[in-house]
Amino acid sequence: MASVLLWRVLPLLALLASFLFFFYVQNSSKLSHKECSLLPHQSYWITSKRIVTPQGVISGAVEIRGGKIASIVKEEDGRGNSKVGHIVDYGEAVVMPGLIDVHAHLDDPGRAEWEGFPSGTKAAAAGGITTLVDMPLNNFPSTVSQETLKLKIEAAEERIYVDIGFWGGLVPENAFNSSILEGLLNAGVLGLKSFMCPSGINDFPMTNASHIKEGLSILAKYRRPLLVHAEIQQESESHLELKDGSHDPRSYSTYLQTRPPSWEEAAIRELVTLTKETRTGGLAEGAQLHIVHLSDSSSSLDLIKEAKSSGDSITVETCPHYLAFSAEEIQDGDTRFKCSPPIRDAANNKKLWKALLEGHIDMLSSDHSPTLPELKMLDDGNFLKAWGGISSLQFVLPVTWSYGRKYGITLEQLALWWSERPAKFAGQELKGAIAVGNHADIVIWEPDVEFELNDDYPVYLKHPSISAYMGTKLSGRVSATFVRGNLVYKEGKHAPAACGVPILAK
């Protein structure tokens, strides 16, 4: 009788044990506020003489409660003395909406040795970036289906210090398969990305106009953007023949000749024939085409301006490296500066700044594209064989500020280019501005503090040596970064745990 009773009880005990184990695992994975933030308070005030809001720069206080901005009080208002609770006073430091970088390659999963979510998001936090949107390539496998997106989301869990969204890939294999594309979009990618030239990644082949047209028609239903690497190789301007030895592969001018502005112009000329359908009443109304990392400030930009004036839904970004550097400065063999499209001459640089200031370029992004030092070929210095990409994630705020000061850029412009417009572009209504109800994503930085990017400076990128910014002197030191109210970075220290949130479109 006892043995029969035991056999009846054992399954119940096993079920109870399984439930207790599941309950333990579920609750142990929920990180506490103490682990997620260097500040023990969940309700507090941030005060400063310079708070950048959509209404301008104010002196006052921002109330944070439950990860969101609860109120904003100007110093001259009578309520200025009514603040109750913990106060963090930043004095003359700038309090600005956290940066949103819509173009970064973190290479996770599959190539985390190039960067990876932990080091990449630590670098982002140290640079005042509170939200990243990760590109669908350089990780392996590339993010071109619902299944491959799931791999990326799993790789990000409890390994990201800032919030991260994801772009999906538009490639020939899925462009004409609406079920795959819709599955990818339904699974939460914020939009799609394609290349009009070889990407350098085997499982991310280039697309043509017919693929892009199909992508836009699908995206129109979701009202999400298509981002395009706009370069088309011209037959008359193919890669230089080096057999006669007349072109030195260590010379930057050699590389520059292999990717002339006409490549960008040819691609954009083709794209603007498609963006006509994004106008009101068009077959792709609701879709948006976005040109990534514009380098050519002449004919390519003119085509974009004309399309915008005609009512096409088209936007464009450029990157700090095109605004900071010029071809004339790049030394032979210094492959840290190789990227595609390439950094062009000083005259082009000035025209890019003019276009940005006049509003023809909509926003900025890092195009952080790291790799292994050996693939950058720093010792060999061969520009034609080295991996193309600028490693920059931690430095984009001080770089933009340092090189933009001579053009008289303002704090409000910085917030527009790096926060407000990227938030709108990526569909993040609760980000991009210090406004009541928004996520408390905030960067604290000191515009007048200078520092040198040398071996003594704390850099959180996995491979600092490949960054073109190492060795430069910059202004605008980031001192603290808040993500959803959590103080994730302060004066060279990160929060104990990675509590960033994966962002999925709904």
Side-chain angles (χ1 to χ4, degrees), residues 4-83:
V4 173
L5 184 62
L6 181 62
W7 280 108
R8 288 180 177 175
V9 172
L10 275 176
L12 293 174
L13 291 173
L15 184 64
L16 179 61
S18 298
F19 174 77
L20 290 172
F21 176 76
F22 177 78
F23 181 81
Y24 169 77
V25 170
Q26 288 291 101
N27 282 274
S28 64
S29 66
K30 293 180 180 177
L31 298 165
S32 69
H33 176 75
K34 185 178 180 181
E35 294 172 291
C36 295
S37 180
L38 296 169
L39 188 67
H41 308 276
Q42 296 188 56
S43 297
Y44 56 93
W45 293 81
I46 290 174
T47 62
S48 168
K49 298 292 184 184
R50 291 187 286 181
I51 301 172
V52 184
T53 76
Q55 291 73 41
V57 180
I58 66 168
S59 176
V62 179
E63 182 186 7
I64 313 298
R65 191 166 62 239
K68 290 190 174 182
I69 296 171
S71 66
I72 301 168
V73 180
K74 290 184 179 180
E75 186 178 38
E76 59 265 29
D77 289 351
R79 295 177 296 155
N81 296 321
S82 65
K83 295 184 291 293

Side-chain angles (χ1 to χ4, degrees), residues 356-378:
L356 180 64
L357 291 164
E358 291 178 352
H360 301 303
I361 293 174
D362 299 279
M363 66 193 79
L364 297 175
S365 74
S366 73
D367 188 17
H368 174 67
S369 184
T371 188
L372 298 171
E374 51 265 35
L375 293 180
K376 204 65 177 166
M377 304 188 75
L378 300 177

Side-chain angles (χ1 to χ4, degrees), residues 200-460:
I201 298 295
N202 291 336
D203 69 339
F204 204 92
M206 61 185 276
T207 53
N208 59 32
S210 61
H211 301 128
I212 291 169
K213 183 178 180 180
E214 287 296 318
L216 286 172
S217 68
I218 298 292
L219 287 162
K221 306 171 191 176
Y222 292 83
R223 309 192 75 82
R224 297 180 203 169
L226 173 62
L227 296 80
V228 182
H229 181 126
E231 284 184 292
I232 293 180
Q233 182 173 325
Q234 304 297 286
E235 290 183 11
S236 61
E237 296 167 333
S238 58
H239 287 286
L240 297 176
E241 291 290 336
L242 301 175
K243 294 177 182 177
D244 60 3
S246 62
H247 300 287
D248 180 6
R250 286 178 49 82
S251 170
Y252 184 72
S253 63
T254 298
Y255 173 63
L256 195 56
Q257 291 175 62
T258 68
R259 294 185 97 106
S262 59
W263 283 33
E264 291 185 81
E265 181 187 350
I268 293 170
R269 189 174 297 280
E270 199 164 286
L271 289 171
V272 296
T273 66
L274 303 176
T275 57
K276 292 176 182 178
E277 295 296 341
T278 65
R279 298 174 189 171
T280 302
L283 294 175
E285 181 185 355
Q288 175 185 348
L289 191 134
H290 181 75
I291 307 293
V292 299
H293 50 47
L294 181 76
S295 173
D296 173 36
S297 62
S298 297
S299 299
S300 300
L301 184 61
D302 290 339
L303 288 167
I304 296 168
K305 287 160 64 175
E306 184 179 345
K308 284 184 175 185
S309 67
S310 298
D312 296 16
S313 181
I314 184 170
T315 51
V316 59
E317 69 185 47
T318 193
C319 307
H321 44 274
Y322 299 122
L323 300 171
F325 304 124
S326 59
E328 295 89 338
E329 303 172 83
I330 299 173
Q331 300 296 309
D332 288 353
D334 197 348
T335 54
R336 296 178 303 158
F337 291 86
K338 180 182 177 180
C339 59
S340 303
I343 296 165
R344 306 197 188 279
D345 62 27
N348 185 78
N349 172 295
K350 290 178 180 177
K351 287 182 70 177
L352 281 176
W353 271 113
K354 185 173 186 289
L356 180 64
L357 291 164
E358 291 178 352
H360 301 303
I361 293 174
D362 299 279
M363 66 193 79
L364 297 175
S365 74
S366 73
D367 188 17
H368 174 67
S369 184
T371 188
L372 298 171
E374 51 265 35
L375 293 180
K376 204 65 177 166
M377 304 188 75
L378 300 177
D379 294 331
D380 182 75
N382 188 323
F383 275 102
L384 300 182
K385 293 182 178 180
W387 176 263
I390 303 292
S391 180
S392 60
L393 203 53
Q394 187 176 333
F395 316 128
V396 292
L397 173 55
V399 166
T400 307
W401 178 247
S402 298
Y403 289 89
R405 291 178 89 170
K406 69 178 180 180
Y407 294 97
I409 67 170
T410 65
L411 299 175
E412 293 97 322
Q413 286 173 316
L414 275 179
L416 182 69
W417 300 331
W418 274 113
S419 303
E420 182 182 331
R421 285 180 179 164
K424 183 179 179 181
F425 171 67
Q428 301 306 300
E429 296 177 354
L430 297 180
K431 295 183 181 292
I434 294 179
V436 174
N438 275 10
H439 293 156
D441 295 348
I442 294 170
V443 57
I444 315 296
W445 63 290
E446 300 166 285
D448 298 321
V449 174
E450 295 185 339
F451 57 96
E452 290 188 25
L453 289 178
N454 53 32
D455 292 339
D456 296 325
Y457 190 84
V459 177
Y460 301 98

